[in-house]
Amino acid sequence: MSDGAAWQGNIKARLYERVRERGYDSLSTFADARPAVPLYVLADELGHDVAAVQVLSGLLYEAEQNKRVTRLVRDVLVRELSERFPSGWPDVLDDATRGEVAMALGTWTAYTPETHKERVRAARAVLRESPPPPGWRPNGPDDELLRTLLPDDEA
């Protein structure tokens, strides 16, 4: 992607063309079929001229249209945790794993729309104060613990 191809042409049209080529009617259904797959991997699956941030932007657009932003916010955390902790939540929180947790939670916050930042900050605090059990690995945005941290509230 270093050649800049991801930023040329009609990005939105390219994203939807690629997901339709793969048999999906939306970016959300494409992503839902790949729970816990990092955003950059989803982008790679759609082609060398698709960037992870474009996938995230498209997913956010669809989530806003369908009043499912909170679910998307949980989904992004699942994808971040899957990337950083493929074997699940670490057994020991030493300096290295604390740094990885901080990176995952920080990236999650950065990818969160402003409308949900305060809720994400509160959820982060809970995760730091009462970490999940070792090995916990949510397989999707509807994980019970995640729904407790960030319940759906959209009408």
Side-chain angles (χ1 to χ4, degrees):
M1 189 171 54
S2 61
D3 63 0
W7 303 105
Q8 297 173 3
N10 186 330
I11 296 165
K12 185 176 178 181
R14 181 170 45 246
L15 280 172
Y16 285 97
E17 175 184 322
R18 301 288 169 73
V19 297
R20 281 192 300 275
E21 286 172 357
R22 285 154 181 80
Y24 298 94
D25 61 354
S26 71
L27 200 50
S28 297
T29 56
F30 171 76
D32 285 348
R34 289 154 184 73
V37 172
L39 291 168
Y40 79 90
V41 175
L42 294 179
D44 288 349
E45 287 182 23
L46 293 174
H48 76 284
D49 55 352
V50 175
V53 69
Q54 294 166 341
V55 172
L56 177 64
S57 177
L59 289 171
L60 177 57
Y61 173 79
E62 289 181 9
E64 289 171 341
Q65 297 304 304
N66 296 307
K67 298 186 183 334
R68 296 182 71 177
V69 176
T70 302
R71 185 177 190 277
L72 173 65
V73 169
R74 290 191 310 260
D75 183 64
V76 170
L77 177 59
V78 169
R79 294 175 191 284
E80 284 300 311
L81 292 175
S82 174
E83 180 178 354
R84 297 202 184 267
F85 302 110
S87 298
W89 194 265
D91 296 344
V92 176
L93 287 177
D94 57 16
D95 287 345
T97 55
R98 269 192 211 87
E100 285 298 311
V101 168
M103 290 294 293
L105 297 179
T107 301
W108 179 42
T109 305
Y111 288 170
T112 297
E114 287 300 320
T115 56
H116 286 65
K117 288 240 193 247
E118 283 306 314
R119 293 180 63 202
V120 162
R121 286 185 187 107
R124 275 187 354 208
V126 170
L127 286 171
R128 282 193 306 266
E129 292 168 18
S130 302
W136 172 72
R137 185 177 187 271
N139 291 319
D142 297 321
D143 176 86
E144 186 177 333
L145 174 59
L146 293 180
R147 289 180 64 95
T148 301
L149 289 172
L150 281 171
D152 291 321
D153 66 346
E154 289 121 349

